[in-house]
Amino acid sequence: MSAENNLTGVRRSRPRRTDEGKDKATARDELRKAILAGEYMPGERLVEAQLIERFGASRFNIRLALQDLAGEGLVEIQRNRGAQVRKISLAETIEITQVRMVLEGLVAAQAATRVTDEEASELDEIGLLMRRAVEAGEFRRYSDLNQQLHALVRRIAGHQTADRLIGTLRAQLARHQFMLSLLPGRPMVSLPQHERIITAIRGRDPGEAEAAMRDHIASVIEVLRTLDDQGIIP
Amino acid sequence: MSAENNLTGVRRSRPRRTDEGKDKATARDELRKAILAGEYMPGERLVEAQLIERFGASRFNIRLALQDLAGEGLVEIQRNRGAQVRKISLAETIEITQVRMVLEGLVAAQAATRVTDEEASELDEIGLLMRRAVEAGEFRRYSDLNQQLHALVRRIAGHQTADRLIGTLRAQLARHQFMLSLLPGRPMVSLPQHERIITAIRGRDPGEAEAAMRDHIASVIEVLRTLDDQGIIP
DNA sequence: GTCAGCGAAGTTGTCAACAACTTTTCGGAG
DNA sequence: CTCCGAAAAGTTGTTGACAACTTCGCTGAC
């Protein structure tokens, strides 16, 4: 969400290799990765001194990194009380997924108007691999392919604004994200939905592509509501 | 005789209540307001020293404020080159408006499922005022009412996630926003669209509410594309 | 026992000085 | 006159020290 690395293409006149102090961007990316990997749990305090030790960056850069992640909704900063990994309620999870639904719907529609023949082949390829993964019961692999498919659709659409927003929203749900794919029976339901999306984009039918994507994500929301009734997610 | 250390005896006037040093949040809000008011044009450099003078905040807080506004997409920061008001191309304006279209569509749908009788009256009220404003040729007032209507729909929906995103997107387009309402003939086109939105929400018809909102904003996108062809907007 | 008050420890917020980088200026060689 | 390069000016990036705030534990009166 920022153009901060100005790679001028010109080599540095003054090499400063020996410095191992990491800059803001590096610290931010590593910390985000750690949070998404679940190494810090929601609600856990992020004490600056500890982060300095772990990531080897200066306090200044650590603070900037925390500010950035707060902007992304991954971290919550309370004045004079420090930062903690943001807790996301189920209600908020549903809201976020609803927004993802309409955004990915928009992206799917745009992908349908822009897809090239080559990209269509890529879509087919992923669809095929998905079907195989489901038949083989490789659910983890199916989950990966799921992400690949959504990423490919976004790449085809080339909608930077929607793309960026979807990225930050997905990050906020990273914890729940892959759990869903592993629910018993989920792949059987979502596979035909994915295939419908692929077919619509291949057929260059924006309306159908959007509808297919929205139905797909709407069914995820249904599952979330079910989990709510069962009290599975806090 | 380099740095003469200041003895603890003389602390400039105590940094208590009376001190006018503004904090990050205040500086950020005031700077954002100034940018949205057009006091800084797109592409204009935001030199820290000048901002310190104008807003009376410390450099530290000015920098934090700039970071925040960069996160909101209002400002662009290039490393070692400072900040400037972000320029938004027409292509990006269209992208942002497309995202707004689907987000406000979602919000309208949700508003239709939640609207109370009292809120329905408020909608009617605004609709009535809009019609009168158009008939009286008060376009500036119509533009205000337009914003009020959208804000009311969002309030009714109570969708925090979508609400926040729409807010930041609207801010990015603040410059173009009100220009559109002032285009000749625009109110005549958009008034019935607004009335359709109101009717749909009143009728508690989510699908129709979303469709009405999307058609409305889609027509804005059409105008943007037209302006592009005419080369009016850079 | 307990609870208010007080102080220490731990953590975050802010600042001013300094370092590094970019842009501008200017003198001299060609 | 123009171009090159280095110094100067202007601006931003970073650091370490310190101030302010929160939390926790201790003491002692009741």
Side-chain angles (χ1 to χ4, degrees), chain B residues 15 45-48 59 63 79-80 82:
Chain B
R45 286 191 64 187
L46 298 169
V47 180
E48 295 177 0
R59 187 153 92 95
R63 295 195 101 226
R79 188 181 170 93
N80 288 325

Side-chain angles (χ1 to χ4, degrees), chain A residues 19-218:
Chain A
D19 249 348
E20 55 179 321
K22 293 165 184 171
D23 65 356
K24 177 189 87 167
T26 309
R28 159 163 52 68
D29 294 345
E30 292 186 4
L31 177 53
R32 176 171 41 221
K33 195 174 159 192
I35 293 174
L36 295 185
E39 297 177 42
Y40 294 100
M41 300 307 277
E44 186 171 345
R45 284 191 64 188
L46 298 169
V47 179
E48 294 176 2
Q50 295 171 2
L51 300 177
I52 291 168
E53 278 235 349
R54 162 150 188 184
F55 296 103
S58 67
R59 186 153 92 93
F60 183 79
N61 283 325
I62 289 289
R63 295 195 102 223
L64 290 182
L66 286 172
Q67 294 274 348
D68 276 10
L69 295 180
E72 293 178 22
L74 246 50
V75 155
E76 189 174 4
I77 297 180
Q78 291 175 301
R79 189 184 168 91
N80 288 326
R81 290 194 191 181
Q84 57 181 219
V85 181
R86 194 158 81 92
K87 286 185 251 191
I88 293 181
S89 67
L90 183 81
E92 196 172 357
T93 301
I94 291 176
E95 278 198 359
I96 292 171
T97 308
Q98 284 176 326
V99 170
R100 260 194 61 212
M101 176 180 73
V102 298
L103 289 180
E104 297 222 35
L106 170 67
V107 164
Q110 185 134 331
T113 69
R114 294 191 168 204
V115 62
T116 66
D117 292 343
E118 192 179 352
E119 290 162 343
S121 301
E122 291 186 65
L123 286 170
D124 281 339
E125 177 72 12
I126 289 185
L128 182 62
L129 294 175
M130 279 182 135
R131 176 167 284 276
R132 282 191 194 149
V134 170
E135 285 168 354
E138 297 170 345
F139 299 126
R140 182 60 211 232
R141 173 152 173 71
Y142 178 69
S143 175
D144 289 345
L145 288 167
N146 174 32
Q147 296 207 25
Q148 281 182 39
L149 174 59
H150 285 263
L152 175 56
V153 172
R154 287 192 276 163
R155 202 185 81 211
I156 295 172
H159 198 297
Q160 291 185 37
T161 304
D163 205 15
R164 208 182 53 232
L165 291 176
I166 292 169
T168 66
L169 293 174
R170 281 182 71 98
Q172 292 178 36
L173 299 185
R175 188 164 324 284
H176 310 281
Q177 205 70 41
F178 76 109
M179 276 174 36
L180 289 175
S181 318
L182 300 178
L183 282 179
R186 259 322 272 167
M188 289 304 187
V189 176
S190 68
L191 179 60
Q193 294 173 344
H194 284 134
E195 290 177 334
R196 183 182 162 208
I197 293 168
I198 291 173
T199 303
I201 295 178
R202 288 218 45 165
R204 297 181 166 75
D205 182 341
E208 166 65 6
E210 177 169 17
M213 181 64 85
R214 287 183 61 145
D215 284 353
H216 168 49
I217 302 186

